[in-house]
Amino acid sequence: MSVVPVRTEALSKVFYDESRGEVRAVDSVDITCSPGEIFGLLGANGAGKTTTLRMLSTVLRPTSGQAWLMGHEVRDAPERVRENLGFYSASTALYPKITPRETLRFFARVNRYPRRRIEARVDELIERFSLESYADTRVEKLSGGMKQKVSIARTVAHDPPVLIFDEPTVALDVLNAIELREIIARLRSEGKAILFSTHVMSEAEQLCDRIGIIHHGAILATGTLDQLREATGRHYLEEVFVHYAGMRGKIGT
Amino acid sequence: MELRQIWTLYVHELRSALRERSIVVFSIIIPLVLYPGLLWAGLAAFSFVEGQAERIALEVGVHGLPDRHQSLLDTLDVADRLSAQEWVGSSEEGREEISRGGLDVLVEFVPPDDEGGALEHNFRLRITYHGARDRSRTAREAVESVVDSYREGWIDEARQELGVDAAVWADFRVIQDDLTTAEEGTRFLLGLMVPFLTLIVVALATFYPAIDATAGERERGTWETLMTVAAPRANVATAKYLYVATLGAVGGLLNMIALTLSLRWIFQPVLGAEGQDMIQGGIPLGAFPIIAAGTVLLGLFVAAGMLIFAVFARNFKEGQSMVTPFYIAVILPAIFLQSPDIEFTTALALAPVVNVALLIREAIMGSIPPLQSALTLGSMAVCVALSVVFAQWVMRREEVLVGSQRGGLGGFLRRRVRGRRREA
């Protein structure tokens, strides 16, 4: 039986804030993601997307529930989880003083990519992401678009089966955002399981195979775009989102 | 713990750091060049100021001068830097003039006491000066020296009148014999300077790397990138720690070598060309292993401390303010170590940082006390181990990892205690 690349069961995170007391940032989240699939986490700012993805990447420890990446539980085997994971977000920057080639070499090595194949892998990534002309220039001297490419190459340097993109287009201009989405689509076609969080509805519509609508830390609905449309009777994802978020609001009151 | 992975992380930290201008300056250039240069400049400036001051005449007033001792006034007037004349005002007016700065010293002849009065023309002198004024203090020293010579001459005359043989009289003189060789004198100078500067250099050389490895990573946005690599947190913390400690220890050792090699040049402004022979040799070769061990332990300890304080900072500015108290605590003992009278006791051998500085001093002087050395190395090793364990524990906490922690180490510990109470 093949392993589901990403699976969570009642995954929850509670923070303690001195002024607000206990804050339930993520509430019993159940999601899965299969090979060659992009699962989109769609939610407003502060909905719990980043906290969920940070728990999956072992940066945060779940308060309760469980999560597995390639069969490894995030609390029991965090290093094994990270070995199988490439994490990209607007806050995962590159080291400015080293070159793209050194960056790729470092991340492949530290993520335990087979040593004898590292140089070949670095060359392959440089060619694949068209980094040749600046592969040996320090990152600090590169443009935003160049850095973005190096950053994605860094994310996949150790060829992980699972990729997490946490609001990756948030700081990008239109052209770079389009290019990034194309790269992510290519990675899906290579069989990667991809978790993609965004608050931009059009992005989720274009890219995601399945969408989970997250609001106030809880998943309100999960399905393909067609399934969500059918369930709500709304055509546009924005309307679908408002429908679920509104329902939750009414339940809450 | 996977050594190969730690090595990968360590080399990565070091590579980035050695391409960072501020780190190279503070950890390598300053220990190697700036401190010897600053010392030279300081001594040259001191020598220049002294030279300028020597050209200014110091005003001496002589009050109540008896005829028999007129020659004292002439002797004072021709003495180097002194300009003496008879003070015609009252004693009180002389004091007021000294307070105003118009006069540096007032020399007053006062009547001898009963026993002193037995000898004809015997005299007593009162020297009035202003202790808070450098010129006045210098004038007093110069006047004292002249008066001592004059007094000796006068006593010699009295001896002749009394018919005492000069050879017998000479036996009462104090003869001083300094056994210090030039090598020992050089070691004494190095023993005063090297421990003091080693503490400063190690603290300074670890200061920026510690902030750069923590707050700097957060500010650049690379902290989260690093937290998602497949390395255990302990490996990341160990690599960062070793990187900071390396720069601290290297800075300390470079500074020591630089001072030894440039000692003649540093003291050239005050000793002049003829005095250069007073600087001979340097740190004894046999002392290097123990000095190196002490410096490395100092680097390891200070690096752990710096990281413990810096890891809570979210940006460079916060990092500087959080680490500065520890930086001051490290270099504070250096001030007290400037006194050569401090003995390297067994109690001091257990005091972290101070013990290493004293061990370095003793080793440079050529005496390595075995008990104190063993206690120093042992206690520092224990301190290093405890601080590393603590630093690793802190760096594994979630609030520290994600940077949600507000405030420094004190706030973190308070919140942990409160959290425990809540759980209980």
Side-chain angles (χ1 to χ4, degrees), chain A residues 139-161:
Chain A
V139 167
E140 64 188 349
K141 291 179 180 157
L142 305 183
S143 69
M146 291 169 173
K147 281 182 190 166
Q148 179 202 314
K149 279 191 195 172
V150 177
S151 207
I152 300 167
R154 183 281 298 169
T155 308
V156 298
H158 56 300
D159 198 17

Side-chain angles (χ1 to χ4, degrees), chain B residues 35-106:
Chain B
Y35 282 124
L38 277 179
L39 279 172
W40 177 85
L43 289 173
F46 172 76
S47 173
F48 174 77
V49 171
E50 283 279 288
Q52 293 294 307
E54 276 169 15
R55 289 185 199 163
I56 301 166
L58 304 168
E59 300 296 333
V60 181
V62 183
H63 184 247
L65 184 68
D67 291 342
R68 175 67 177 80
H69 296 294
Q70 278 293 330
S71 60
L72 176 62
L73 180 62
D74 303 332
T75 316
L76 281 170
D77 197 37
V78 296
D80 194 27
R81 294 193 66 191
L82 296 182
S83 167
Q85 51 189 317
E86 201 164 348
W87 181 253
V88 291
S90 68
S91 173
E92 198 53 45
E93 284 167 339
R95 285 164 179 268
E96 283 170 16
E97 195 60 15
I98 288 172
S99 299
R100 278 197 294 272
L103 193 64
D104 293 311
V105 161
L106 182 67

Side-chain angles (χ1 to χ4, degrees), chain B residues 39-341:
Chain B
L39 279 172
W40 177 85
L43 289 173
F46 172 76
S47 173
F48 174 77
V49 171
E50 283 279 288
Q52 293 294 307
E54 276 169 15
R55 289 185 199 163
I56 301 166
L58 304 168
E59 300 296 333
V60 181
V62 183
H63 184 247
L65 184 68
D67 291 342
R68 175 67 177 80
H69 296 294
Q70 278 293 330
S71 60
L72 176 62
L73 180 62
D74 303 332
T75 316
L76 281 170
D77 197 37
V78 296
D80 194 27
R81 294 193 66 191
L82 296 182
S83 167
Q85 51 189 317
E86 201 164 348
W87 181 253
V88 291
S90 68
S91 173
E92 198 53 45
E93 284 167 339
R95 285 164 179 268
E96 283 170 16
E97 195 60 15
I98 288 172
S99 299
R100 278 197 294 272
L103 193 64
D104 293 311
V105 161
L106 182 67
V107 179
E108 287 179 277
F109 278 82
V110 293
D113 55 18
D114 292 346
E115 284 177 22
L119 190 64
E120 197 182 1
H121 304 302
N122 199 5
F123 65 97
R124 279 204 302 162
L125 285 179
R126 181 192 291 135
I127 299 174
T128 309
Y129 67 104
H130 199 296
R133 205 168 285 147
D134 189 49
R135 272 176 58 124
S136 188
R137 280 201 315 273
T138 311
R140 188 209 66 187
E141 284 165 16
V143 166
E144 267 181 356
S145 167
V146 172
V147 168
D148 279 348
S149 301
Y150 179 80
R151 188 174 155 272
E152 272 193 33
W154 188 80
I155 290 171
D156 199 50
E157 276 175 33
R159 174 190 63 77
Q160 285 173 29
E161 282 170 20
L162 291 169
V164 179
D165 187 64
V168 174
W169 191 252
D171 276 351
F172 290 102
R173 302 238 169 115
V174 176
I175 299 164
Q176 293 186 18
D177 199 1
D178 186 359
L179 295 174
T180 314
T181 61
E183 282 84 359
E184 285 167 335
T186 306
R187 285 184 201 170
F188 176 78
L189 281 175
L190 282 170
L192 282 182
M193 283 177 4
V194 171
F196 171 69
L197 288 173
T198 301
L199 286 187
I200 292 176
V201 165
V202 169
L204 195 65
T206 50
F207 188 86
Y208 282 93
I211 299 171
D212 183 67
T214 49
E217 289 247 32
R218 288 207 171 99
E219 204 163 74
R220 287 190 296 268
T222 48
W223 181 263
E224 196 159 325
T225 315
L226 195 62
M227 289 304 120
T228 54
V229 299
R233 306 280 189 244
N235 288 7
V236 175
T238 304
K240 283 186 178 295
Y241 167 65
L242 289 175
Y243 145 66
V244 178
T246 300
L247 290 182
V250 166
L253 291 171
L254 282 179
N255 173 62
M256 208 174 303
I257 293 164
L259 280 178
T260 308
L261 295 178
S262 58
L263 203 64
R264 271 172 170 251
W265 174 73
I266 289 170
F267 281 96
Q268 200 257 338
V270 281
L271 295 176
E274 316 85 61
Q276 289 293 294
D277 289 343
M278 290 167 69
I279 306 290
Q280 295 285 334
I283 299 171
L285 278 178
F288 263 106
I290 197 130
I291 293 172
T295 308
V296 169
L297 280 172
L298 187 66
L300 289 168
F301 175 71
V302 175
M306 292 276 181
L307 275 177
I308 288 169
F309 282 89
V311 78
F312 298 99
R314 285 168 294 182
N315 52 50
F316 230 93
K317 213 182 267 180
E318 266 189 17
Q320 280 176 314
S321 60
M322 285 176 181
V323 173
T324 300
F326 181 72
Y327 173 79
I328 292 170
V330 169
I331 62 169
L332 205 61
I335 297 166
F336 304 108
L337 292 170
Q338 283 305 285
S339 167
D341 298 333

Side-chain angles (χ1 to χ4, degrees), chain A residues 90-104:
Chain A
S91 57
T92 49
L94 295 167
Y95 288 92
K97 296 289 175 190
I98 58 175
T99 66
R101 189 184 298 279
E102 288 167 341
T103 302
L104 299 178

Side-chain angles (χ1 to χ4, degrees), chain A:
Chain A
M1 200 176 84
S2 62
V3 176
V4 179
V6 181
R7 186 160 67 91
T8 72
E9 267 181 25
L11 192 67
S12 301
K13 181 70 185 175
V14 178
F15 291 111
Y16 183 80
D17 185 277
E18 284 186 346
S19 54
R20 292 186 294 166
E22 280 192 358
V23 179
R24 190 166 281 272
V26 173
D27 192 4
S28 292
V29 164
D30 296 328
I31 52 173
T32 58
C33 186
S34 307
E37 180 186 47
I38 298 178
F39 181 88
L41 263 182
L42 181 68
N45 289 335
K49 304 186 294 290
T50 298
T51 305
T52 304
L53 298 181
R54 278 181 165 180
M55 283 192 281
L56 283 169
S57 63
T58 75
V59 171
L60 289 176
R61 204 176 158 79
T63 309
S64 62
Q66 285 183 297
W68 294 267
L69 251 99
M70 299 305 291
H72 304 292
E73 215 283 322
V74 291
R75 267 176 299 209
D76 299 340
E79 286 88 41
R80 301 290 291 166
V81 166
R82 295 198 292 269
E83 212 175 305
N84 285 287
L85 170 72
F87 187 89
Y88 178 104
S89 83
S91 57
T92 49
L94 295 167
Y95 288 92
K97 296 289 175 190
I98 58 175
T99 66
R101 189 184 298 279
E102 288 167 341
T103 302
L104 299 178
R105 201 178 284 145
F106 167 68
F107 281 98
R109 196 171 284 172
V110 82
N111 285 313
R112 299 197 179 99
Y113 193 77
R115 290 182 83 78
R116 63 182 189 285
R117 282 161 45 198
I118 285 177
E119 286 309 313
R121 174 70 178 163
V122 169
D123 290 339
E124 178 199 327
L125 288 168
I126 287 172
E127 193 188 335
R128 186 173 155 197
F129 288 92
S130 308
L131 312 177
E132 294 92 340
S133 60
Y134 51 88
D136 298 306
T137 306
R138 285 192 196 176
V139 167
E140 64 188 349
K141 291 179 180 157
L142 305 183
S143 69
M146 291 169 173
K147 281 182 190 166
Q148 179 202 314
K149 279 191 195 172
V150 177
S151 207
I152 300 167
R154 183 281 298 169
T155 308
V156 298
H158 56 300
D159 198 17
V162 180
L163 296 171
I164 291 179
F165 289 91
D166 183 18
E167 306 229 35
T169 57
V170 77
L172 299 180
D173 61 41
V174 178
L175 293 176
N176 281 321
I178 291 170
E179 193 177 3
L180 178 68
R181 283 199 291 270
E182 285 171 2
I183 292 171
I184 293 172
R186 272 210 311 269
L187 290 166
R188 166 178 53 193
S189 64
E190 288 168 17
K192 306 286 184 196
I194 299 171
L195 282 166
F196 181 91
S197 85
T198 183
H199 64 273
V200 182
M201 308 291 160
S202 59
E203 214 166 60
E205 274 180 343
Q206 285 171 36
L207 206 59
C208 300
D209 300 305
R210 283 190 308 127
I211 294 168
I213 294 176
I214 186 167
H215 194 60
H216 290 322
I219 295 280
L220 305 182
T222 306
T224 62
L225 186 57
D226 288 338
Q227 285 169 340
L228 293 173
R229 279 173 179 157
E230 200 176 301
T232 58
R234 308 287 203 282
H235 181 73
Y236 294 107
L237 186 54
E238 198 170 61
E239 294 171 330
V240 172
F241 178 78
V242 171
H243 170 83
Y244 281 112
M247 266 178 57
R248 170 72 178 219
K250 279 175 193 162
I251 293 164
T253 54

